[in-house]
Amino acid sequence: MTKELYDIAEQPPLGIVPPKMHAWLIRPERFGKPTEAFQQEVVNTPAIADDEVLVYVMAAGINYNNVWAGLGIPVNVIAARNKAGEKEDFHIGGSDASGIVYKVGKDVTHVKVGDEVVMHCGQYDRNCAWVKGGGDPMYSPSFKIWGYETNWGSFAQFTKVQAQQCMPKPKHMNWEEAASYTLVAATAWRMLHGWDVNAVKKGDVVLVWGGAGGLGSMAIQIVKAAGATPIAMVSGQDKFDYCMKLGAKGCINRNEFDHWGMLPHWKDNAGYAKWMKGVRAFGAKIWEVLGEKRAPNLVFEHPGETTIPTSIFVCETGGMVVVCAGTTGYNATVDLRYLWMRQKRLQGSHFANTEQSNQMNELALRGLLDPCLSRAFTYAEIPVAHQLMHDNKHPHGNMAVLVGAKDFGLGASGKPPVAIERAALPKGDVHTTPHPYPMSEPLPSVAEAAAITIADDGTRVGDLMHRGIIACAPDDTLAQVAKTMVDHEIHAVVVMDGSQATGVVSQTDMVLARQGRTSEQARALLAQNIMTPGCATCDAGLLLSEAVSLMTGRRMHRLVVTENGQPVGVLSMTDVVRKIIGE
Ligand code: NAP
């Protein structure tokens, strides 16, 4: 007779599924840091649908996703599923796993009970019209990340997955190694192989950001296997050896450069020249490391805001910058001249489809992909592993936990067809950068907009603005405009062509005009040459919050205020700041 419940690591006879199972659960009432959010519980083993498989989990991979699931931000994954009609009031996370198939649905043909498998984390509705029509499931509105956006992930004795997620486990890997690589490796595979004309090919040069990180360590190996040349970016010399062993031709320490961050304004001659000097020196470093004057055909991106300007600049004409995250920020700046004149591609990429995941796994099966497991934990340590991630104290590389496996190092049953050199991370290497956001973030959609609430105290622009317009003529010199500003103690002057406002000269415009010019050259410039053309206006009746969004969205510090279409005053950021301090 089937036992009601088996202990952890007490494996039920093959194909025997107990009605209950041990699992680590997240519940809304204990959202918070991982050591509090995750609690061990016993729950009913889930039933499976016709296209699904129940896998006895031997080991599970650790990813940031479930740090966020435990915190309940930026989305409460449980509430999101309840809203969609699912009844469970808990979340079982885990988006990477190795295990043994224990039960299959009636439509499942490609795996059977007893198969040793690893799982990719892409789920979708097989009846979705887009998928049925042959479309890439990654574009299906039903696409979800298993064990984050879906329930019944791998932090439990049994996990419920779609059959298409199951892939053969590499025989030469132990359970924890096999559980650790799929999410990052499949993501890297799609980034590098998924974008038609720009897919990596023999002879290409590829710049890989975060070469010692989860994605980067997989990317180096995938690039190398394609016969291309990876160059690894890292933050310290101590990671060079690791990346070289994985297959990098050379490494660059990003801390030797300081031009990172958003682009200077294109009108800022001096700032732009300094940035250009930095990025050119960086380009020269790539040549030095490569041993030839070639630009990367692909740039493998995920830091985002601080590195995208550089990635786009150094990318070869006709090449591609492919990005799957914005770990340092989302508002990446682009000098469009380099994008259009050199016809480069900035391509977004997210996880991978079934076919791509399997193509990646072929590499693992052939022994050509080191899973880069940096640390393995016991089942009881699942919250601790996540807490280390939460505190940014976890090692680089991929981490895994044992679930059904009795001990570390078990489960390997063969030699790799190709033996690659095992790379070891530098001792004591831990993360120093802020937490990456979950790989799937809910994006605001038109339909959801109604649910967003905004606090607003009802202040109108007219309540705060300065009445009266101080103007200059288009052919006034900068010297004249500057005097007007100083005399009136204002930060901007409206340029009036007759009765028509044609632009604004702000203090920033003036300072930018001085950059890279002598004082005489700057003083002789005309208002019409340096003004920000067009006059951003708003009605005096507009809500202050909306006016602020207008200013920040257009990176400006003031608006010309109109009443009945006529300019009557100016609202500046200084006015808003005064209101904040209650002046
Ligand atoms: P990871 O293991 O933390 O590695 C990220 C690497 O980025 C670090 O090793 C670090 O290397 C480098 N880095 C950090 N700050 C940097 C900066 N300011 N400039 C340049 N490089 C910097 O993370 P991961 O697993 O590779 O994931 C990276 C990002 O991708 C995360 O945001 C993750 O959420 C996201 N992701 C997205 C998907 C998807 O499908 N969309 C899938 C997986 C992961 P150095 O300090 O050595 O430079």
Side-chain angles (χ1 to χ4, degrees), residues 351-367:
F351 190 57
N353 59 34
T354 314
E355 191 185 351
Q356 291 162 338
S357 297
N358 277 282
Q359 287 166 344
M360 174 282 296
N361 202 46
E362 272 302 310
L363 216 58
L365 293 168
R366 283 165 54 207

Side-chain angles (χ1 to χ4, degrees), residues 244 246 278 316 335 359 412 465 494 523:
M244 303 292 273
L246 290 174
E316 174 66 301
D335 184 334
Q359 287 166 344
M465 70 178 194
V494 180
R523 285 164 65 85

